[in-house]
Amino acid sequence: MSSGAYPVTLEVDDPQPQNRLSVAIRIIFAIPALLMGIVIGIGLQIVAIIAWFVILFTGKYPAGMMNFTEGGLRFAARLSGYLYLLTDKSPSFSLDADSSYPVRLAVQGQIEGRNRLTCFFRLLMAIPHFLILGVLNYVIGVVVFVAWLMALFTGSVAPGLHNFIAGYIRWTLRAQSYAMLVTDEYPPFSLN
């Protein structure tokens, strides 16, 4: 990662042809991954609460908890990419980095030297991002539906739709990472 880059980056491969049957019943194929995502999401929330207290008292994010959080975010990126039609490849049931998967999240969590004050007010500081993402959530619903129809009939998603969906997921994961205390660096208001 180059200096100056945000510590949470999402790389997405260019649009590839997709199996129309897989597109038609994607939600059914995704049920096992969605169930795992729910369990991981609950774990991430518990870890974030514990990490909040630990950072307030020690100024450090426990390394084991950071590894789990980073892995959970990587899994969320792969699951989102699959559900939102960025790839036809089912996500692996792993929290490890997978350089061969078409949707890859790189996370450089900050363990030492944490800012206790911004940690204390973290959820309040994340509100602007979540308000904008809440509005974009309606837009992305329409975009994903159009992409689903397009992939269903043509076997692929248009590059513009693909890039917009990737940008939305990128912004969402940066905001979630910030809210879950992965880094003290405030995320940019950007799809890029």
Side-chain angles (χ1 to χ4, degrees), residues 132-152:
I132 295 169
L133 287 167
V135 172
L136 280 176
N137 196 42
Y138 293 104
V139 174
I140 204 68
V142 172
V143 169
V144 169
F145 180 71
V146 170
W148 180 77
L149 288 174
M150 182 176 285
L152 193 60

Side-chain angles (χ1 to χ4, degrees), residues 48 51-57 61 114-125 178-179 181 183-184:
W52 186 79
F53 283 105
V54 172
I55 292 170
L56 285 181
F57 290 110
Y61 197 118
R114 301 306 301 264
N115 185 325
R116 295 176 189 187
L117 183 62
T118 62
C119 174
F120 185 79
F121 292 108
R122 184 59 51 98
L123 290 179
L124 289 175
M125 294 172 67
Y178 181 73
L181 307 164
T183 181
D184 286 339

Side-chain angles (χ1 to χ4, degrees), residues 8-13 33 37 40 44 69-87 89-92 94-98 101-107 165-166 168-174 176-177 180:
V8 179
T9 58
L10 182 73
E11 292 180 12
V12 178
D13 291 349
I40 291 171
L44 287 173
T69 302
E70 290 175 352
L73 289 167
R74 282 190 295 266
F75 180 79
R78 290 190 296 260
L79 179 59
S80 296
Y82 181 66
L83 287 173
Y84 290 0
L85 304 170
L86 295 180
T87 181
K89 186 176 177 184
S90 294
S92 64
S94 170
L95 301 184
D96 297 330
D98 182 357
Y101 197 75
V103 179
R104 298 166 300 283
L105 186 74
V107 183
I165 294 167
Y168 172 79
I169 294 171
R170 183 177 295 114
W171 189 346
T172 300
L173 288 168
R174 286 190 307 235
Q176 288 174 344
S177 298
M180 288 190 284

